[in-house]
Amino acid sequence: MRRLAVLLAVILGGALHVGAWAAAPTAAKAAPIRGDQCVECHKTEAKTSHAFHGECNSCHVNAADHAKNQEDREKAKGTKPTAVVATKPESKECLSCHEADKRRMHFAIAEHNKAGVQCRDCHGNHTPKVKALNAGMEKGGKTTALCATCHQDVLAKFSMTSHHPVKEGGATCTGCHDPHASKLATLGAATATCTSCHQAVRGPHAFEHPPVAEDCKNCHDPHGSPNKRLLTVAQPMQCLQCHAPPGNRHGQGGSASTTTRISGALLRDCASCHSAIHGSANDMHLRF
């Protein structure tokens, strides 16, 4: 009987200790700000807040001080205390809830985060950043319009002769770019993003074209270009940046002398003959 009594006492003591330990974080947490306290002044924000963003101090970390300060200012006579402004949430406040989301768990290595971009710079605290589409962006969508608010240089390229159909609604910025992570951190090749859509040029090939296997952007500007097929430089200069003119073909004589006159064959479209420019299963010169 005595042993049973001692055992029960130990179990009861442990349960009380665990209960007190579990209750400590709850007691330390700031009391939620009542919605009606904020609505008294912030009527517009209250109407447009997201359903899951009901407690103001879950995002505005000093909301309690701000509310208390407002009460003190209303009660004060004569000299009023200095106003306490409710701070806008930083990325760390957003990630305290959204860190488990697999789409945002790599934000620490994201290019946006490295550049000091906060979540609120793209996501409106209460309403979307882009409420209406400007002329020319009707088919592009609000996501593309949001990216374009900062990336104006890229937006201009979508109006060039050769471009990805972003303004036409055939592609989106987030279809290639992950704003919450970095594509450069993946183990896949740099061409993987491009070939996920352009599968006709996807390898592996028996005869690889090294710049193609390395990075599509070696030859193509993915956003837009004044040249055909998004080429950064028009042919034949695109190819001649790497390939010196041979002296025994393309209409040349047998000598590789620098004084040899360059024929018109060198000033035409290289891909007319080297049609397997992305890689070939048959020919090392990528002709077919």
Side-chain angles (χ1 to χ4, degrees), residues 55-120:
E55 293 183 5
C56 301
N57 63 337
S58 63
C59 297
H60 301 282
V61 292
N62 66 335
D65 295 334
H66 172 68
K68 180 67 168 57
N69 177 260
Q70 290 300 108
E71 292 179 359
D72 294 342
R73 286 170 61 82
E74 292 175 1
K75 295 176 182 178
K77 294 181 179 180
T79 304
K80 293 185 178 181
T82 304
V84 176
V85 180
T87 57
K88 295 180 179 180
E90 296 184 358
S91 295
K92 60 183 180 181
E93 275 79 51
C94 301
L95 292 174
S96 65
C97 292
H98 295 286
E99 63 182 352
D101 188 338
K102 65 179 182 180
R103 292 178 55 201
R104 299 172 178 84
M105 63 187 298
H106 300 302
F107 189 68
I109 61 173
E111 299 301 324
H112 277 149
N113 185 49
K114 293 176 183 177
V117 177
Q118 298 288 330
C119 298
R120 65 173 183 267

Side-chain angles (χ1 to χ4, degrees), residues 134-169:
N134 298 327
M137 292 298 295
E138 295 87 349
K139 295 181 180 179
K142 292 184 178 180
T143 300
T144 298
L146 174 62
C147 299
T149 58
C150 291
H151 302 282
Q152 291 286 322
D153 56 331
V154 176
L155 178 64
K157 290 186 177 182
F158 293 133
S159 298
M160 291 185 173
T161 304
S162 179
H163 62 270
H164 267 114
V166 173
K167 283 188 174 183
E168 293 81 1

Side-chain angles (χ1 to χ4, degrees), residues 184-238:
L184 299 178
T186 61
L187 296 177
T191 58
T193 300
C194 302
T195 55
S196 63
C197 291
H198 302 281
Q199 297 185 14
V201 298
R202 189 172 186 171
H205 303 286
F207 300 97
E208 296 278 5
H209 193 184
V212 175
E214 180 186 48
D215 192 344
C216 297
K217 296 191 299 294
N218 286 329
C219 297
H220 302 280
D221 187 322
H223 299 113
S225 170
N227 307 304
K228 294 180 179 179
R229 304 181 185 90
L230 297 173
L231 291 176
T232 55
V233 182
Q235 290 194 57
M237 293 309 301
Q238 178 73 66

